[in-house]
Amino acid sequence: QIHLVESGGGLVQAGDSLRLSCAASGRPYSGYAMGWFRQTPGKEREFVATISWSGSSTYYANFVQGRFTISRNNVKNEMYLQMDGLKPEDTAIYYCAAKTTILATEYEDEYQFWGQGTQVTVSS
């Protein structure tokens, strides 16, 4: 079992930056690919970014368009999402997820562990 806790969300203005963090505990962190997803009311949860266990492979949703950067620190058992150039349409609850294989993937159903989410609100 992996326990995931997100932090770093908040209320910002369009064009600002935020850095989300995801702290993992409960089982050895190494060997797990991780990802970020987001959800707004009335919409399905969508893929944002994913990173392999080694950190050498990363993939992003098209809407990121170079604005977000995913990274991880396996010593600290943490994953991050640096979000720059935020837009009002980025407003959502952002979820951290982990999967029990090392390869990164955008497919939500391949992730076994989820955090509770952190709210990001971007005002215009």
Side-chain angles (χ1 to χ4, degrees), residues 5-82:
V5 178
E6 303 93 338
S7 62
L11 172 62
V12 297
Q13 294 185 332
D16 285 351
S17 298
L18 275 177
R19 187 191 194 212
L20 304 183
S21 297
C22 174
S25 62
R27 285 187 65 178
Y29 184 66
S30 60
Y32 289 82
M34 300 187 74
W36 289 99
F37 293 78
R38 70 184 189 184
Q39 188 171 25
T40 55
K43 297 181 67 176
E44 293 186 352
R45 190 158 52 189
E46 64 178 352
F47 166 74
V48 176
T50 180
I51 186 167
S52 62
W53 164 62
S54 69
S56 61
S57 296
T58 59
Y59 303 100
Y60 298 91
N62 289 336
F63 62 76
V64 168
Q65 296 176 338
R67 300 181 297 127
F68 297 178
T69 303
I70 189 171
S71 61
R72 66 190 295 166
N73 184 325
N74 289 352
V75 174
K76 293 185 176 181
N77 293 343
E78 293 181 346
M79 177 181 66
Y80 313 100
L81 185 68
Q82 177 67 40

Side-chain angles (χ1 to χ4, degrees), residues 33-37 47 49-52 59 99 101-111:
M34 300 187 74
W36 289 99
F37 293 78
F47 166 74
T50 180
I51 186 167
S52 62
Y59 303 100
K99 57 191 291 287
T101 58
I102 64 173
L103 298 179
T105 179
E106 65 184 281
Y107 299 108
E108 180 177 342
D109 59 3
E110 294 193 26
Y111 290 85

